[in-house]
Amino acid sequence: MKSIEEKIQDLKRERGAIVIAHNYQPDEVQAMADFTGDSLELSRKAAELDEEVIVFCGVHFMAETAAILSPEKTILLPDPFAGCPMADMITADQLRARKAEHPGAVVITYVNSSAAIKAESDLCCTSSNAIKIVASVPSDKEIIFVPDTHLGHYVQKELGREMIIWDGYCPTHSRIREVDVLREKADHPNALVMAHPECPLNIREIADGLLSTGQMCTFAKESDATEFIVATEMGLLYRLRNENPDKKFYAVSDRAVCPNMKKIDLEKVLWALEDMQHRIVVPEPTCSLARKSIEAMLELS
Ligand code: 13P
Ligand code: SF4
């Protein structure tokens, strides 16, 4: 009797498929994936892959981004209900209304958003390149930044550049409390605090580094420090601990779990390959319009 991992490997070969996974995926999904990464790394990977079938272990907007970049490929999301509440905090009508209030403003959209929002945007960004993307806009231009208020305010402060910022947020990162970080700091006085820019201001202010999940992996590897307090979704700890067996990583809160990321499991990956489901397709003209804003980001980063 074959294990579920062996069945997935067999079917991958048969279908000419590759499995890519976000850093917040459950441990066993990350262990089985061919590639893991942050949002920017996954977008880049999806754009350059030769495989015809990509099983995307992440949330809907990530699979949608892959489908936008490679409309000729089959992009499968193992659970079609793995969404992102932050992405749902703005609609295309709301963004059009905001644009009408600020004619000529450049719209910069965090990739944690729907294809319809990306299609209304000039540029996309991720947490790892947001500063670079915003800095690329001429200083005489107004900027509308959507949908994450925390990432927007972080960039605004770093660059000293006023923006019109939407008030969306990530419910998972909002569960990380200052008291949790302070407790971990008191317990581990030599540890550095790595926080995601999706965290609220009181967390960002006491962090040693504000980093995307991919940047946290690089930072932990390259730093001389040996202990780290991790203020982001708990799934990242699997990769950090695996890649740095001699270093210590402390989760800041066991409430920092994204229920949508955890909807994917090995059974659903197997079923995705068996049934070639659930295919993510973005209709035209949304697909081409959204592609322009993602490609503009990829060119700048
Ligand atoms: P990154 O992996 O790009 O840091 O994004 C975090 C996130 O919340 C994705 O949903
Ligand atoms: Fe969305 Fe937050 Fe989950 Fe990322 S961690 S997918 S931003 S809800």
Side-chain angles (χ1 to χ4, degrees):
M1 174 88 173
K2 283 186 178 169
S3 70
I4 189 156
E5 285 89 350
E6 286 167 336
K7 287 185 193 169
I8 289 172
Q9 294 307 334
D10 286 353
L11 263 179
K12 259 171 45 185
R13 269 189 297 274
E14 213 172 288
R15 304 276 196 228
I18 188 163
V19 178
I20 63 176
H22 187 263
N23 291 325
Y24 294 159
Q25 283 292 291
D27 297 0
E28 63 279 13
V29 174
Q30 291 193 48
M32 167 277 303
D34 298 295
F35 180 82
T36 52
D38 68 11
S39 305
L40 182 62
E41 290 163 341
L42 294 178
S43 312
R44 280 216 185 97
K45 194 78 187 167
E48 71 193 28
L49 282 172
D50 290 331
E51 283 79 358
E52 285 307 309
V53 178
I54 302 174
V55 182
F56 209 114
C57 301
V59 292
H60 191 271
F61 76 80
M62 296 179 169
E64 209 175 46
T65 301
I68 291 164
L69 288 171
S70 309
E72 71 294 348
K73 291 188 184 156
T74 302
I75 312 294
L76 302 175
L77 181 62
D79 187 321
F81 300 108
C84 169
M86 186 207 287
D88 296 336
M89 288 180 190
I90 183 167
T91 65
D93 280 347
Q94 287 172 321
L95 179 52
R96 279 192 285 269
R98 185 59 56 93
K99 284 166 69 174
E101 288 163 12
H102 300 275
V106 174
V107 179
I108 301 185
T109 292
Y110 188 29
V111 283
N112 298 32
S113 55
S114 68
I117 297 296
K118 291 183 176 86
E120 287 288 336
S121 309
D122 299 292
L123 280 162
C124 282
C125 73
T126 74
S127 54
S128 67
N129 63 16
I131 291 180
K132 205 180 212 178
I133 300 294
V134 171
S136 76
V137 177
S139 53
D140 60 333
K141 290 269 182 195
E142 267 195 311
I143 296 176
I144 298 172
F145 188 97
V146 300
D148 185 11
T149 187
H150 298 308
L151 180 65
H153 281 96
Y154 159 61
V155 174
Q156 176 167 278
K157 192 170 169 215
E158 285 296 302
L159 293 175
R161 172 128 189 211
E162 279 293 307
M163 299 192 289
I164 301 139
I165 301 173
W166 199 254
D167 56 3
Y169 63 92
C170 164
T172 297
H173 286 86
S174 298
R175 288 186 171 201
I176 297 174
R177 302 173 308 174
E178 192 175 353
V179 66
D180 297 320
V181 180
L182 296 178
R183 183 199 58 241
E184 292 303 315
K185 271 167 82 86
D187 287 350
H188 312 288
N190 296 324
L192 294 180
V193 179
M194 302 192 291
H196 198 278
E198 286 179 17
C199 288
L201 178 63
N202 56 353
I203 306 299
R204 299 200 306 274
E205 276 178 345
I206 52 175
D208 295 298
L210 290 167
L211 305 157
S212 77
T213 60
Q215 288 170 334
M216 285 187 199
C217 293
T218 309
F219 182 77
K221 213 179 275 178
E222 292 176 355
S223 169
D224 290 335
T226 55
E227 292 181 76
F228 302 87
I229 295 162
V230 183
T232 192
E233 211 273 349
M234 287 183 71
L236 183 67
L237 288 157
Y238 170 79
R239 187 167 157 198
L240 288 171
R241 287 177 178 146
N242 247 355
E243 292 181 354
N244 306 278
D246 300 331
K247 298 190 177 186
K248 288 203 167 75
F249 298 93
Y250 309 108
V252 85
S253 164
D254 57 13
R255 278 182 296 271
V257 173
C258 174
N260 284 285
M261 285 283 179
K262 305 311 189 216
K263 282 184 178 153
I264 313 288
D265 58 26
L266 290 182
E267 278 85 358
K268 289 180 190 173
V269 173
L270 178 64
W271 299 335
L273 284 162
E274 280 177 351
D275 304 338
M276 296 296 277
Q277 292 269 31
H278 299 271
R279 186 160 183 198
I280 305 298
V281 179
V282 180
E284 291 294 353
T286 307
C287 189
S288 296
L289 291 169
R291 191 179 310 120
K292 275 194 196 147
S293 62
I294 301 169
E295 283 180 348
M297 166 187 82
L298 292 173
E299 268 162 40
L300 283 168
S301 48

